[in-house]
Amino acid sequence: MSTQIITTAIRGRFLDIQNTVSQASEIQNQIRYIEDGLLITENGKIQWFGAWEDGQPFLSSEIQVDHYPHQLIVPGFIDTHIHFPQTEMVGAYGEQLLEWLNTYTFPTELQFKDKNYADKIAQFFIQELLKNGTTTALVFCTVHPSSVDALFEAAEQFQMRLIAGKVLMDRHAPEELCDTAETAYADSKELIEKWHNKGRNLYAITPRFAPTSTPQQLEKAQQLKIEYPDVYVHTHLSENKDEIAWVKTLFPKQNSYLDVYHHYELTGSKSIFAHCVHLEDEEWDCMHQTGSAIAFCPTSNLFLGSGLFPLKKTWEKQVKVGLGTDIGAGTSFCHLQTINEAYKVQQLQGNKLSAIESLYHATLGGAKALSLEDKLGNFKIGKEADFIVLDIHATDLQRLRQQRSKTIEDALFALMTMGDDRNIDATYIYGQKVYTKNA
Ligand code: GUN
Ligand code: ZN
């Protein structure tokens, strides 16, 4: 019996970060830039990568080479926090977090009790990720188990690596959107058995945030994590000042907001906390000690007026961090725009965010935040072949500006300041081209 081998070959200008680092200053030494390179994939994995001239012996005559002479090829973007059911509500006017949830979010999420509706939005959502160069995401679904089915079914068509889970929420939300401690446990368990490690899918236990779960429900989340230590935990933390004050009144025995999650053993190397804008020192220490990760969501933090995330502190405190779009509080699916806003958030705090550091957070650093750095994030041989083809001259203004770029860093910075989905020419997942601009 012969097994079919699927091979892809891509020629072009490649840029990636070779190894994870513990300080921003070390990233510079890890840049790998190959002007004329070749990448060969076999059954979804990177089988060979190097200079075009060195790669000839590895190319057989029947392999067709996709050649991108004028573009820049980088690893696929990793979105460490996004809500697929909020796709249609980007740009909801005028409110900060708690009012925004009640006014816009909960009514939108109610629609996902209908599986057909969830299917429709899931398909749109996955297409939008691909179109924006995002090849892996950590995703909130709704409280409805079928919303998780809808999302994984849509992702599976492209063999996309996705982490997702059903929202746990048993108070402080419309009754129709609430589960119970028991159904949250039973439904999540069923979904873990059905989806976790099926193909490239991974599951995340997903309490919405501390205010919408009773202590009994958090105990059930704890029980799930003990039974399935390999699954992820994904929630929100310390996003908005009113939210933090509310958590303190709801859980008076806990020392801090993070201490609520820590008390229920929901911290750890596979736990990702979105936002963390206003963490106290002891919370930073707990994040570090437990190996938990942060999803930094600049477009959302600005849009909801939540605050300025201190990115520099993640290096000082040695806490893992990735970038999140947080659609629909966030305003763009594209990590180029997310980086554009991340830069400004740092400027407002007197700090510089370089293009190379931004690339790191969007790719290998994001993979590390998701404990997937052994599988994703760069062109290392053996890793999964998820990458994107960027056109750095997609508009007249970009073309004019790029004429002045003297270095690859400067070209990248201009791309990140002005770029969006118009700059994504193609997206490859697991070695296959799954999106072509204007196709
Ligand atoms: N906190 C609890 N739920 C949400 C949500 O849907 N979006 C954001 N940005 N924060 C939250
Ligand atoms: Zn969110």
Side-chain angles (χ1 to χ4, degrees):
M1 202 174 76
S2 69
T3 39
Q4 199 195 354
I5 296 176
I6 302 167
T7 305
T8 316
I10 289 90
R11 180 181 180 183
R13 200 152 60 108
F14 289 85
L15 175 70
D16 73 342
I17 313 288
Q18 296 197 69
N19 290 293
T20 58
V21 297
S22 56
Q23 287 305 326
S25 57
E26 296 164 9
I27 304 173
Q28 199 67 26
N29 302 330
Q30 298 298 335
I31 300 171
R32 174 166 50 178
Y33 178 54
I34 304 183
E35 276 272 349
D36 187 9
L38 173 68
L39 181 94
I40 304 174
T41 78
E42 198 175 283
N43 293 344
K45 305 266 176 65
I46 297 169
Q47 195 242 345
W48 194 89
F49 178 60
W52 168 255
E53 59 186 24
D54 298 335
Q56 308 302 308
F58 304 97
L59 277 178
S60 61
S61 55
E62 63 268 24
I63 301 178
Q64 185 210 315
V65 179
D66 294 354
H67 190 193
Y68 298 102
H70 308 299
Q71 287 100 322
L72 182 66
I73 305 169
V74 300
F77 294 145
I78 295 178
D79 189 339
T80 60
H81 180 68
I82 186 167
H83 300 248
F84 104 79
Q86 296 176 16
T87 302
E88 65 194 270
M89 55 165 286
V90 175
Y93 175 74
E95 306 296 352
Q96 293 214 350
L97 176 65
L98 301 177
E99 294 73 24
W100 174 87
L101 282 172
N102 288 320
T103 312
Y104 299 112
T105 315
F106 293 151
T108 305
E109 294 193 5
L110 267 169
Q111 302 170 105
F112 289 74
K113 62 177 189 249
D114 173 0
K115 172 72 164 43
N116 289 332
Y117 192 75
D119 283 336
K120 195 177 94 179
I121 300 294
Q123 297 285 351
F124 184 96
F125 173 83
I126 295 291
Q127 279 300 341
E128 204 63 18
L129 289 181
L130 300 177
K131 183 177 170 183
N132 282 283
T134 295
T135 51
T136 281
L138 171 58
V139 189
F140 257 70
C141 300
T142 62
V143 74
H144 316 95
S146 59
S147 71
V148 178
D149 293 333
L151 184 68
F152 280 135
E153 283 160 14
E156 254 185 358
Q157 294 172 295
F158 302 103
Q159 289 190 285
M160 191 172 185
R161 190 172 275 293
L162 216 71
I163 315 172
K166 173 203 124 59
V167 167
L168 315 183
M169 176 156 74
D170 66 345
R171 63 170 169 176
H172 299 137
E175 209 179 313
E176 256 195 287
L177 259 192
C178 284
D179 53 10
T180 67
E182 284 70 32
T183 60
Y185 172 81
D187 289 344
S188 301
K189 192 178 172 75
E190 207 174 310
L191 288 165
I192 292 169
E193 296 282 348
K194 184 171 179 184
W195 290 111
H196 187 60
N197 277 325
K198 181 170 176 237
R200 296 181 82 198
N201 301 318
L202 296 164
Y203 196 84
I205 302 164
T206 309
R208 173 164 226 119
F209 65 157
T212 46
S213 284
T214 57
Q216 294 72 24
Q217 185 169 67
L218 292 172
E219 263 174 35
K220 288 294 182 186
Q222 176 181 23
Q223 193 182 334
L224 279 169
K225 180 67 181 163
I226 291 168
E227 284 175 42
Y228 299 96
D230 180 45
V231 304
Y232 289 81
V233 174
H234 181 201
T235 188
H236 297 93
L237 170 65
S238 202
E239 175 178 4
N240 165 289
K241 296 236 168 105
D242 292 344
E243 169 210 18
I244 297 165
W246 193 23
V247 171
K248 289 199 168 140
T249 66
L250 291 170
F251 297 90
K253 288 203 194 116
Q254 258 55 66
N255 295 329
S256 65
Y257 191 163
L258 179 57
D259 194 40
V260 176
Y261 298 128
H262 187 59
H263 176 76
Y264 294 100
E265 298 183 82
L266 298 174
T267 47
S269 64
K270 287 198 164 174
S271 296
I272 292 90
F273 297 95
H275 306 301
C276 300
V277 176
H278 309 285
L279 290 187
E280 294 162 19
D281 271 350
E282 67 191 71
E283 293 176 299
W284 279 103
D285 293 341
C286 179
M287 291 293 291
H288 167 74
Q289 282 153 13
T290 57
S292 305
I294 297 172
F296 168 31
C297 309
T299 72
S300 166
N301 296 160
L302 293 173
F303 184 75
L304 290 184
S306 304
L308 304 176
F309 177 71
L311 182 62
K312 212 171 136 200
K313 227 163 166 172
T314 62
W315 297 110
E316 287 164 13
K317 297 283 187 179
Q318 292 290 296
V319 174
K320 295 187 293 181
V321 63
L323 288 174
T325 59
D326 194 27
I327 292 289
T331 51
S332 170
F333 267 81
C334 190
H335 263 359
L336 297 173
Q337 271 309 296
T338 307
I339 289 166
N340 177 27
E341 300 301 295
Y343 175 82
K344 296 170 192 168
V345 167
Q346 301 323 301
Q347 278 284 50
L348 283 165
Q349 300 173 87
N351 298 321
K352 294 177 189 177
L353 174 59
S354 74
I356 290 300
E357 182 181 342
S358 298
L359 179 68
Y360 178 77
H361 291 310
T363 58
L364 188 60
K368 186 178 173 187
L370 300 181
S371 292
L372 290 171
E373 71 272 28
D374 58 330
K375 296 186 173 65
L376 302 176
N378 61 16
F379 299 121
K380 194 169 171 191
I381 290 169
K383 283 200 182 182
E384 297 171 359
D386 294 347
F387 51 90
I388 58 178
V389 181
L390 296 165
D391 171 10
I392 68 167
H393 311 105
T395 68
D396 292 341
L397 179 61
Q398 290 177 10
R399 208 168 299 115
L400 183 73
R401 168 62 179 85
Q402 292 294 7
Q403 284 168 13
R404 301 172 70 96
S405 301
K406 298 270 186 309
T407 61
I408 184 69
E409 280 95 337
D410 187 37
L412 198 59
F413 185 72
L415 170 71
M416 287 165 166
T417 305
M418 294 189 281
D420 54 33
D421 57 338
R422 291 170 296 184
N423 296 89
I424 315 297
D425 268 6
T427 301
Y428 286 74
I429 298 245
Y430 221 45
Q432 297 300 304
K433 184 152 58 162
V434 291
Y435 168 76
T436 312
K437 193 178 146 193
N438 300 328

